[in-house]
Each structure stands twice: as C-alpha cells, then as structure tokens.
Amino acid sequence: MNLLQGRHAIVTGGGRGIGRAIAKTLAGAGAKVTILGRNQAALDRVVSEGDAHAAAVADVTDPDAVQAAVQAAISWHGPVDLMIANAGSAASAPFLKSTPDVFRQMLDVNLLGVTNVTHAVLGSMAERGFGRVIAVASTAGLKGYPYVSAYCAAKHAVIGFVRALALETAKTGITVNAVCPGFTDTDLVAESLERIMAKTGRTREQALSELVKHNPQQRLISPSEVADAVLWLCGEGARSVTGQAIAVAGGEI
C-alpha cells in the first residue's frame, strides 16, 4: 500500500508502544518515517528492525532540541508532511498529593511536547500548502478520571490546542486533529498493572478488569488500532477532517 508514498513523517515517542505502532504503519503505507525519543538504544532498535527509516534523540520538552532534531530529519528525508506528536507521560496521585511540580511536569510533556514539535514544522507546511498535525491525546482529554487530575488537565489542554489551531490553519491545506485512545496494551499500561497488583494484592486479571471497566468492549485497545486511525487522518480522504478528537476506546466516549 502506497497511500503515503513520498511523504515524510515524524513520530515522537517512537521507541515503543503506540509510537512504534504508528511508525510501522506509516512506513508500511510508503512514508519515510523519522522517530524521535529520548532512548537512543530503543530508537536504534526500531530502525534496525525496519519499523522506521531514521531516528533522532530529542526531549520534546526542550524546544531547541526539537528544532535540531527536526532539522536533522529534514536533511535526511526532506520537508516534514506528517507530524505525529505521540510522546507523553502519566502521573497518578490524589489531587492533594499532586504538587505544582507534578502539574508542570504533565503540562511540559503532554502539552508543550505537542506545541514544540508543531512549532518546528508548521511554517514549512503552510508554505507548501499541505500538512497533517496529529496529537495522540487520550480519553483523559475528553473526560475525567480520579487520581490523575494533572494528566487529565494536560490532555484536555491538548484537545483545546488542536481545536484552536485547526481553525487557524483551516485555509492552508493543513489539518490538525487528536486521536484519543482508552487504556492501550502498552508497556506503560503493563507497568500500571504491576503497580495496582503491588498496592492492592489483586491478581493481574483483577487489576486488568479494573482498568478496562469503563470500556464497553471490556478490553485493552491495541496500538495498531490507534495507528490505523492516525493513518486515515494522514490520507487525502481526511482532508476535510480537522479540529477533531477521535476516541479509540471501544465506545467509552
């Protein structure tokens, strides 16, 4: 399938989980894919195993590092057509134990991580009259969950950013959207299950049941399902879809 032949995609947080699934899917559709992340070994592994074409180390909270990584990617594969802002982090604690530093951390990674990479590519997209900016948000950007107030606040902010920028760029050939997965079968969720088991003494099955109880399908989302939603948004058939927050959550939203 060559749906994206000739396109250059950057995927942040591309070393594992949803980011790697997106990189693999876009590469399979013909795009040249550059992944960004903080773990050089993980990034190199994705490239060596054929799920991306190139990688650059960058902390998405550092705008200078992001600019440098994007410029390197451009030197390898040309201007960026598709920016998938996937890098993120989640902190869990009751609100009264969620310090201002926790809120700042969640906003730095989950919101500014999106705006930094968007700043790095948007001007060139507008000049060329084409671009796709896609933020991997969360159902936590569309509803509340207990004990993750800082994470929910940051993901809600991402949705607001997407809706505003979509209107600002509506006449430029650029679309700006968010994909909002529910709990997804990734290393991060596996780590959450381990924490639940350690704190509560529950079995893995019981802990998993707690995580998926809000999903009417009663299951974890597959990273490939999120990647397929991103692929559709990258295509010409989605050129009128902008400012949307698309839930991939089994009917939870």
Side-chain angles (χ1 to χ4, degrees):
M1 181 172 64
N2 295 315
L3 177 67
L4 302 180
Q5 191 69 41
R7 301 295 190 195
H8 179 196
I10 287 182
V11 182
T12 69
R16 63 176 184 168
I18 291 173
R20 179 169 184 170
I22 292 170
K24 180 178 181 179
T25 296
L26 299 187
K32 289 292 185 181
V33 179
T34 303
I35 53 174
L36 305 187
R38 294 188 298 179
N39 186 319
Q40 183 74 68
L43 297 174
D44 289 345
R45 184 164 55 251
V46 174
V47 173
S48 69
E49 293 176 1
D51 290 344
H53 299 91
V57 174
D59 182 340
V60 294
T61 69
D62 181 342
D64 292 336
V66 168
Q67 286 283 353
V70 168
Q71 290 306 308
I74 290 170
S75 72
W76 300 329
H77 298 306
V80 179
D81 304 293
L82 318 169
M83 170 56 74
I84 294 82
N86 166 74
S89 178
S92 176
F95 172 70
L96 290 178
K97 293 184 179 180
S98 298
T99 65
D101 283 343
V102 171
F103 275 81
R104 276 190 287 268
Q105 179 190 13
M106 289 298 94
L107 288 167
D108 280 349
V109 176
N110 296 301
L111 174 61
L112 296 182
V114 175
T115 62
N116 287 339
V117 295
T118 303
H119 264 295
V121 301
L122 194 69
S124 175
M125 288 178 174
E127 289 172 2
R128 291 178 290 112
F130 178 87
R132 299 286 188 266
V133 175
I134 302 168
V136 178
S138 167
T139 49
L142 300 171
K143 60 178 284 187
Y145 293 94
Y147 306 114
V148 285
S149 57
Y151 180 71
C152 284
K155 290 297 189 180
H156 272 71
V158 171
I159 302 303
F161 167 71
V162 161
R163 289 170 174 163
L165 189 61
L167 294 176
E168 193 171 323
T169 58
K171 296 180 180 180
T172 66
I174 299 168
T175 65
V176 186
N177 292 287
V179 175
C180 302
F183 283 105
T184 306
D185 191 6
T186 64
D187 291 345
L188 287 176
V189 167
E191 291 163 8
S192 295
L193 288 173
E194 292 295 330
R195 286 195 297 270
I196 292 171
M197 293 163 60
K199 289 180 179 179
T200 67
R202 294 174 180 172
T203 65
R204 190 183 189 281
E205 290 72 21
Q206 291 170 330
L208 179 59
S209 178
E210 180 67 21
L211 286 185
V212 303
K213 68 180 180 182
H214 297 296
N215 180 335
Q217 294 181 345
Q218 295 288 287
R219 65 179 181 88
L220 294 175
I221 305 301
S222 166
S224 65
E225 294 176 277
V226 184
D228 284 345
V230 170
L231 174 62
W232 173 68
L233 287 171
C234 287
E236 285 295 323
R239 62 187 178 276
S240 293
V241 180
T242 193
Q244 302 304 303
I246 300 172
V248 183
E252 179 179 351
I253 301 293

